[in-house]
Amino acid sequence: MLTRKMIMGITLLETLFALAVGALVLVGALLFYTSITQNSNVNKTVSDMNAIVTAYRAYALGHVVTAATTIATLQNSNLLPNPFLNPWGAGYDAAVTVGNKGTAPTTVTIHIWNIRGAGQTGGDPDCAAIGQTAQPTAQAVNSTQGCFFQYTL
């Protein structure tokens, strides 16, 4: 026969245990979401940087590329979308070094806005992750000014 104590319901200890399990599930889901978001941001940024380099190469087929050839120039030529934003809501800057022939770029250095570079205080881990994902085609530029990568063409 059941006693009155057994019929009363769940105890405080059982309730706390259930809440602890629920909290662990929520923390696990949050960590998973954060990891997936960072991976998505890194992959989109590397894809964007490759698109910038490809746009410079395509532009060089019909135009003279100079140091004044910017991302805005590529956007005006319909080689890049406008606006062209990174996952952190800002844009990109690019600087070009032109070879001896003066028509084709030899290096493209890309600055990713809104994330700190490894050389800055409190460097952003996303910048380091982009560098690991973009290698060997792009090399990180250790800068105190931001997150930069250089492509040699």
Side-chain angles (χ1 to χ4, degrees):
M1 182 168 163
L2 297 175
T3 65
R4 187 160 186 68
K5 187 175 186 181
M6 295 175 77
I7 298 175
M8 291 185 66
I10 60 173
T11 66
L12 178 60
L13 186 60
E14 292 168 329
T15 303
L16 292 176
F17 180 72
L19 288 173
V21 169
L24 286 174
V25 168
L26 287 174
V27 167
L30 181 63
L31 291 174
F32 177 74
Y33 173 77
T34 302
S35 173
I36 293 298
T37 302
Q38 181 189 27
N39 289 342
S40 174
N41 289 347
V42 167
N43 289 334
K44 183 193 180 312
T45 303
V46 171
S47 176
D48 286 352
M49 291 191 314
N50 288 331
I52 291 169
V53 172
T54 301
Y56 271 108
R57 286 180 176 153
Y59 187 82
L61 294 176
H63 303 86
V64 175
V65 176
T66 65
T69 306
T70 64
I71 288 180
T73 307
L74 301 175
Q75 289 172 321
N76 291 337
S77 298
N78 294 322
L79 294 170
L80 290 175
N82 193 3
F84 191 52
L85 301 177
N86 66 37
W88 296 272
Y92 299 92
D93 280 338
V96 181
T97 304
V98 181
N100 295 335
K101 296 180 182 177
T103 58
T106 56
T107 63
V108 178
T109 304
I110 300 170
H111 177 206
I112 305 165
W113 285 98
N114 279 8
I115 60 173
R116 293 180 307 281
Q120 291 180 290
T121 304
D124 198 318
D126 287 337
C127 186
I130 292 166
Q132 291 173 350
T133 304
Q135 287 181 351
T137 56
Q139 296 299 316
V141 177
N142 193 8
S143 172
T144 59
Q145 304 301 312
C147 189
F148 290 85
F149 293 93
Q150 187 172 62
Y151 286 78
T152 302
L153 308 178

